[in-house]
């Protein structure tokens, strides 16, 4: 079974609208971290935001926020007021307990339309 | 500063060549990683170094040989590669391994083409 599921292979959004990128995860660990990365066509993986399993507040970083619903095992990324530069691939990822590895979802390609 | 640098940015090599990819970080991180990423796929972990020692090798073919000369530097030596090894190679670093709160920071990657 997939540990990280991103159900939206691609999305088209009008500039200045808010965007929600879906991510669900599967783990039996109590301690885990959830990450979102942005990858523009240039290739660099840019860290956006982190949410720990014990964090009670949803993480926010500028225009990015993470809608963390622990009981539903979802960690959706919300981008407010989208910009043309937000066009990129977005990966949701998880790190469990003391595992060295980070598990990536398959990604969502976001296209912002002018 | 969360910068990880990688050189070269692009590399074209023949199947008989020997080349090396270089990765550097000056954040004091003690864990460094190599990933391989094919187009439209997520990155796949290749190697993990923790405190300059190889801790994970994800069954990577021996034509890829990692090296960690010091805590800031990570190399990937390439020899006798195949065309299917063409990919984006990403380096990452983090403060530690074995810590779920620890963020991995990635470099810009090396786009490798094997002819």
């Amino acid at each position: 079974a997939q540990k990280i599921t991103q159900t939206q292979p691609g999305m088209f959004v009008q500039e200045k609208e808010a965007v929600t990128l879906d991510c669900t995860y599967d783990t039996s660990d109590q301690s885990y971290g959830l990450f979102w990365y942005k990858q523009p066509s240039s290739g660099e993986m840019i860290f956006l935001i982190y949410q720990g399993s014990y964090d009670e507040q949803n993480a926010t970083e500028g225009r990015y926020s993470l809608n963390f619903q622990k009981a539903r095992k979802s960690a959706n990324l919300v981008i407010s007021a989208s910009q043309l530069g937000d066009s990129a691939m977005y990966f949701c990822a998880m790190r469990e307990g003391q595992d060295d590895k980070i598990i990536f979802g398959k990604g969502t390609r976001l296209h912002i339309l002018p | 500063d969360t910068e990880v640098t990688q050189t070269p940015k692009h590399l074209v090599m023949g199947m008989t060549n020997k080349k090396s990819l270089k990765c550097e970080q000056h954040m004091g991180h003690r864990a460094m990683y190599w990933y391989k990423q094919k187009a439209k796929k997520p990155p796949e972990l290749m190697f993990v170094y923790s405190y300059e020692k190889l801790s994970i090798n994800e069954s990577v073919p021996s034509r890829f040989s990692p090296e960690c000369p010091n805590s800031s530097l990570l190399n990937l030596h390439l020899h006798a590669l195949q065309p299917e090894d063409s990919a984006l190679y990403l380096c990452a670093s983090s403060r530690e391994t074995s810590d779920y709160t620890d963020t991995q920071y990635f470099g810009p990657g090396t786009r490798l083409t094997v002819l």
Side-chain angles (χ1 to χ4, degrees), chain B residues 33-37 43-48 54 56-61 64-66 76 78 88-90:
Chain B
Y33 310 79
W34 278 117
Y35 288 85
K36 173 183 177 180
Q37 187 179 23
E44 297 172 14
L45 184 65
M46 299 174 73
F47 303 104
V48 180
L54 183 65
I56 293 179
N57 176 342
E58 290 285 273
S59 303
V60 178
F64 295 91
S65 174
L76 186 63
L78 315 172
L88 179 68
Y89 287 84
L90 291 162

Side-chain angles (χ1 to χ4, degrees), chain A residues 10-24:
Chain A
M11 287 184 72
F12 290 83
V13 172
Q14 210 65 42
E15 190 181 8
K16 297 180 186 172
E17 289 184 352
V19 181
T20 297
L21 305 181
D22 295 340
C23 174
T24 57

